[in-house]
Amino acid sequence: MQNKGTKYIFVVGGVISGVGKGIASSSLGLILKNRGLNVTAVKIDPYINVDAGTMNPTEHGEVFVLSDGDETDQDMGNYERFLGINLTRINYMTTGRVYQSVINRERNLEYKGKCVEVVPDIPLEVIGRIKKAGEMAGADVVIIEIGGTVGEYQNLIFLEAARMMKIEAPANVSFIMVSYFPTPGTIGEMKTKPTQYAVRTLNGAGIQPNILIARGSTNLDDKRKEKISMICNISSDKVISAPDVDSVYDIPLNFEKEHLSDKLCEIMGIVCQKPDEKEWIKWRNFAAYAHNGKEVIKIAMVGKYFETGDFILSDSYLSVIEAIKYSAYQEEKKPVISWLNSSDFEEHPEKIKDLLNYDGIIVPGGFGTRGVEGKILVAEFARKNKIPYFGLCYGMQMAVIEYARNVLGLKDANTREVNPDSKNIVIDVMESQKENLKTNHYGGSMRLGGYKALLQKGSIAHNAYKASEIIERHRHRYEVNPAFIADLEAKGLIFSGRSPDGVLMEIAELPREVHPFYLGTQYHPEFLARPLRPHPLFTAFIKACTNKK
Ligand code: GLN
């Protein structure tokens, strides 16, 4: 490859948010990676929050945790999954984070007495971070997704950073706009005007897109392509249709049908390898499973973060859903996930029997009191009725509480998070977390990111991982209280994964003779599931669900 310096591709959104900029950016990354380029990605979120960790998932969607413990946006998960890479905190920034570093630097006198200004000092900080992300990855191409849509006050400063980068090195910076083309029901025709305005607004920030990705319910026809091309100054072959799809994993394939990687290489002025056929076939096969899964596996996901007004927002558990898919596809199964609100089982205990209709149950991560008793009922029902149960973080803690209550007979067993007055706090706050809670130090202070755990030979976990040592990503403040471990084990619960010092219980499971699959992890395995590398525990769960059928 003839590469004169790292190339930067900015991806911005037009018209509405939520049109799939993150998936588009990830897919661009994948098709370029497939041309032999080393690609990394940066996500910019324009809000003030320093990270995504303090936001309610129904506000923001899932909090995706990186190996280094950064609590980030779900798009970071998309990049990691599509590109098969691990990102770090330099790959993620927010307005809050950028200002925080500039202000810290000012306080340390690093600006040497100069007046520190919004422009250029804030964009310069943004640029510094983007370049560092590229350097750290040794990247040929850095894809930078600017959150939100053009025209929002919040992301102006980031567009300014992009414009400044372009001025500094015109040949190395290009722009893609992902915009939405509505087809209003009453008109029945796809409309281009909102996108025309969006491009004009981007032009107003001094930026001309090189490529326009046209999101909509259908393909953009030639007539509209030409119109957009003429009005927005983009040649019509650089206007790419991206209609709705059933499976996001088809998108890189669809992009390549439009020869997008060739077009990108042409715009970036680089010559790169032919597509890597071997890798491409793997992806194509994987993407095909999404459509070919034969047998349906019915999974109940019992949580609380999915109601937004009258709508269901499955985004809160995005990585869990994707992890289920990868393992199910590998087993040639078609997963069908039902969203069950745990509070519902508290109000209508008779509904618990409905769980018999499912092949498996997942209780994912969570916080706080609401819906907890419902989750405990679900853990009990799954245990007694031998329905495969997979608890992720809070879901594991719920299973332990249930066991303490109903097998050890500790009727008021609970987690300190919910009932600090309980006499049997089986899930207690970690020693290292006490000070944080006392001082209201909540942001970025949980036990976060990759930690090692040792697995017990012969356990379900050990058999699934085929390893005795693992590293998984965490996000929690509470842990199994060491005072109860001996009693829980004496009554049959196995802590098959522990921190290397033996203090923290990382996995709880029931022996296979007792239950086909009853397992909870204190960590979040979903963050390490990858399309071409399904997570072994999800695979073990899916196999158990299959057997239940
Ligand atoms: N609320 C629990 C804790 O902080 C579980 C967190 C989670 O599910 N991620 O320990």
Side-chain angles (χ1 to χ4, degrees), residues 364-368 392-395 397 417 427 446 475-479 522 524:
F367 295 85
L392 311 174
C393 206
Y394 220 19
Q397 297 178 352
E417 188 173 350
I427 306 294
M446 280 186 254
R475 182 172 187 247
H476 64 119
R477 245 183 252 286
Y478 298 83
E479 59 159 328
Q522 184 56 80
H524 290 272

Short mmCIF file of all heavy atoms in Angstrom, two decimals, residues 364-368 392-395 397 417 427 446 475-479 522 524, ligand 1:
data_model
loop_
_atom_site.label_atom_id
_atom_site.label_comp_id
_atom_site.label_asym_id
_atom_site.label_seq_id
_atom_site.Cartn_x
_atom_site.Cartn_y
_atom_site.Cartn_z
N PRO A 364 -30.02 -10.31 32.75
CA PRO A 364 -28.80 -9.54 32.50
C PRO A 364 -28.48 -8.57 33.64
O PRO A 364 -29.16 -8.57 34.67
CB PRO A 364 -29.16 -8.78 31.22
CG PRO A 364 -30.64 -8.62 31.26
CD PRO A 364 -31.18 -9.78 32.04
N GLY A 365 -27.50 -7.73 33.42
CA GLY A 365 -27.04 -6.79 34.45
C GLY A 365 -28.11 -5.79 34.84
O GLY A 365 -29.07 -5.56 34.11
N GLY A 366 -27.93 -5.20 36.01
CA GLY A 366 -28.91 -4.21 36.45
C GLY A 366 -28.46 -3.54 37.73
O GLY A 366 -27.47 -3.94 38.36
N PHE A 367 -29.21 -2.55 38.13
CA PHE A 367 -28.90 -1.77 39.33
C PHE A 367 -30.18 -1.41 40.05
O PHE A 367 -31.23 -1.27 39.43
CB PHE A 367 -28.16 -0.48 38.95
CG PHE A 367 -26.81 -0.73 38.34
CD1 PHE A 367 -26.69 -0.99 36.98
CD2 PHE A 367 -25.67 -0.74 39.13
CE1 PHE A 367 -25.46 -1.25 36.41
CE2 PHE A 367 -24.43 -1.01 38.56
CZ PHE A 367 -24.32 -1.26 37.20
N GLY A 368 -30.08 -1.25 41.36
CA GLY A 368 -31.19 -0.69 42.12
C GLY A 368 -32.28 -1.70 42.46
O GLY A 368 -32.18 -2.89 42.17
N LEU A 392 -26.21 -12.64 34.32
CA LEU A 392 -25.07 -11.80 33.99
C LEU A 392 -24.95 -10.69 35.03
O LEU A 392 -25.78 -9.79 35.07
CB LEU A 392 -25.24 -11.19 32.60
CG LEU A 392 -25.64 -12.18 31.49
CD1 LEU A 392 -25.93 -11.44 30.19
CD2 LEU A 392 -24.55 -13.22 31.28
N CYS A 393 -23.98 -10.77 35.88
CA CYS A 393 -23.72 -9.76 36.90
C CYS A 393 -24.88 -9.69 37.91
O CYS A 393 -24.93 -10.53 38.80
CB CYS A 393 -23.43 -8.41 36.25
SG CYS A 393 -22.41 -7.37 37.31
N TYR A 394 -25.80 -8.76 37.75
CA TYR A 394 -26.93 -8.72 38.70
C TYR A 394 -27.68 -10.05 38.64
O TYR A 394 -28.18 -10.54 39.65
CB TYR A 394 -27.87 -7.56 38.34
CG TYR A 394 -28.43 -6.80 39.53
CD1 TYR A 394 -27.83 -6.87 40.78
CD2 TYR A 394 -29.56 -5.98 39.39
CE1 TYR A 394 -28.33 -6.14 41.86
CE2 TYR A 394 -30.07 -5.26 40.48
CZ TYR A 394 -29.45 -5.35 41.70
OH TYR A 394 -29.95 -4.63 42.76
N GLY A 395 -27.77 -10.63 37.48
CA GLY A 395 -28.46 -11.91 37.30
C GLY A 395 -27.80 -13.03 38.10
O GLY A 395 -28.46 -13.96 38.57
N GLN A 397 -26.03 -12.34 40.90
CA GLN A 397 -26.28 -11.98 42.30
C GLN A 397 -27.70 -12.40 42.72
O GLN A 397 -27.91 -12.88 43.83
CB GLN A 397 -26.08 -10.47 42.49
CG GLN A 397 -24.63 -10.03 42.22
CD GLN A 397 -24.40 -8.52 42.35
OE1 GLN A 397 -25.35 -7.76 42.50
NE2 GLN A 397 -23.14 -8.10 42.26
N GLU A 417 -27.26 -3.45 48.21
CA GLU A 417 -27.74 -2.44 47.27
C GLU A 417 -29.25 -2.22 47.43
O GLU A 417 -29.75 -1.12 47.25
CB GLU A 417 -27.42 -2.93 45.84
CG GLU A 417 -27.69 -1.92 44.75
CD GLU A 417 -27.21 -2.40 43.38
OE1 GLU A 417 -26.49 -3.43 43.28
OE2 GLU A 417 -27.54 -1.73 42.40
N ILE A 427 -24.99 -10.54 49.32
CA ILE A 427 -24.24 -9.77 48.32
C ILE A 427 -23.92 -8.44 48.98
O ILE A 427 -24.81 -7.66 49.31
CB ILE A 427 -25.08 -9.53 47.04
CG1 ILE A 427 -25.62 -10.84 46.45
CG2 ILE A 427 -24.29 -8.74 46.01
CD1 ILE A 427 -24.58 -11.80 45.90
N MET A 446 -16.67 2.04 39.61
CA MET A 446 -16.98 0.63 39.93
C MET A 446 -15.74 -0.23 39.66
O MET A 446 -14.72 0.25 39.19
CB MET A 446 -18.13 0.15 39.03
CG MET A 446 -19.49 0.60 39.51
SD MET A 446 -20.82 -0.11 38.55
CE MET A 446 -21.31 1.30 37.60
N ARG A 475 -18.23 -4.83 35.63
CA ARG A 475 -18.83 -3.51 35.95
C ARG A 475 -19.75 -3.69 37.14
O ARG A 475 -20.93 -3.90 36.99
CB ARG A 475 -19.60 -3.00 34.73
CG ARG A 475 -20.20 -1.63 34.95
CD ARG A 475 -20.80 -1.08 33.66
NE ARG A 475 -21.22 0.27 33.86
CZ ARG A 475 -22.49 0.69 33.84
NH1 ARG A 475 -23.47 -0.16 33.62
NH2 ARG A 475 -22.78 1.94 34.04
N HIS A 476 -19.18 -3.67 38.31
CA HIS A 476 -20.01 -3.87 39.51
C HIS A 476 -19.36 -3.26 40.75
O HIS A 476 -18.16 -2.98 40.76
CB HIS A 476 -20.28 -5.37 39.73
CG HIS A 476 -19.04 -6.17 40.03
ND1 HIS A 476 -18.87 -6.86 41.19
CD2 HIS A 476 -17.91 -6.39 39.31
CE1 HIS A 476 -17.69 -7.47 41.18
NE2 HIS A 476 -17.10 -7.19 40.04
N ARG A 477 -20.20 -3.09 41.78
CA ARG A 477 -19.73 -2.54 43.05
C ARG A 477 -19.91 -3.55 44.18
O ARG A 477 -19.33 -3.42 45.24
CB ARG A 477 -20.58 -1.31 43.39
CG ARG A 477 -19.82 -0.02 43.40
CD ARG A 477 -20.72 1.13 43.82
NE ARG A 477 -21.05 2.00 42.71
CZ ARG A 477 -20.22 2.87 42.16
NH1 ARG A 477 -18.98 2.97 42.60
NH2 ARG A 477 -20.59 3.64 41.15
N TYR A 478 -20.73 -4.55 43.92
CA TYR A 478 -21.07 -5.52 44.97
C TYR A 478 -20.51 -6.88 44.61
O TYR A 478 -20.18 -7.14 43.44
CB TYR A 478 -22.60 -5.56 45.16
CG TYR A 478 -23.14 -4.21 45.58
CD1 TYR A 478 -23.40 -3.20 44.65
CD2 TYR A 478 -23.35 -3.92 46.93
CE1 TYR A 478 -23.87 -1.95 45.04
CE2 TYR A 478 -23.82 -2.67 47.33
CZ TYR A 478 -24.08 -1.69 46.39
OH TYR A 478 -24.53 -0.45 46.78
N GLU A 479 -20.44 -7.76 45.59
CA GLU A 479 -19.84 -9.08 45.38
C GLU A 479 -20.51 -10.07 46.33
O GLU A 479 -21.20 -9.67 47.27
CB GLU A 479 -18.33 -9.02 45.70
CG GLU A 479 -18.11 -8.59 47.15
CD GLU A 479 -16.76 -8.95 47.73
OE1 GLU A 479 -16.22 -10.00 47.33
OE2 GLU A 479 -16.27 -8.24 48.60
N GLN A 522 -20.21 -12.95 37.58
CA GLN A 522 -20.14 -11.62 38.18
C GLN A 522 -19.69 -10.60 37.12
O GLN A 522 -19.92 -9.42 37.25
CB GLN A 522 -19.18 -11.65 39.37
CG GLN A 522 -19.09 -10.38 40.15
CD GLN A 522 -20.45 -9.91 40.65
OE1 GLN A 522 -20.97 -10.39 41.64
NE2 GLN A 522 -21.07 -8.96 39.94
N HIS A 524 -19.29 -9.54 32.77
CA HIS A 524 -20.19 -9.45 31.61
C HIS A 524 -19.55 -10.15 30.41
O HIS A 524 -18.84 -9.51 29.63
CB HIS A 524 -20.45 -7.98 31.27
CG HIS A 524 -21.29 -7.27 32.27
ND1 HIS A 524 -22.66 -7.25 32.20
CD2 HIS A 524 -20.96 -6.57 33.38
CE1 HIS A 524 -23.14 -6.55 33.22
NE2 HIS A 524 -22.12 -6.13 33.95
N1 GLN B 1 -25.76 -3.67 40.75
C1 GLN B 1 -24.81 -4.75 40.84
C2 GLN B 1 -23.48 -4.28 41.33
O1 GLN B 1 -23.16 -3.12 41.22
C3 GLN B 1 -24.69 -5.45 39.50
C4 GLN B 1 -24.12 -4.58 38.44
C5 GLN B 1 -24.35 -5.11 37.05
O2 GLN B 1 -25.24 -5.91 36.81
N2 GLN B 1 -23.57 -4.65 36.10
O3 GLN B 1 -22.71 -5.05 41.81
#
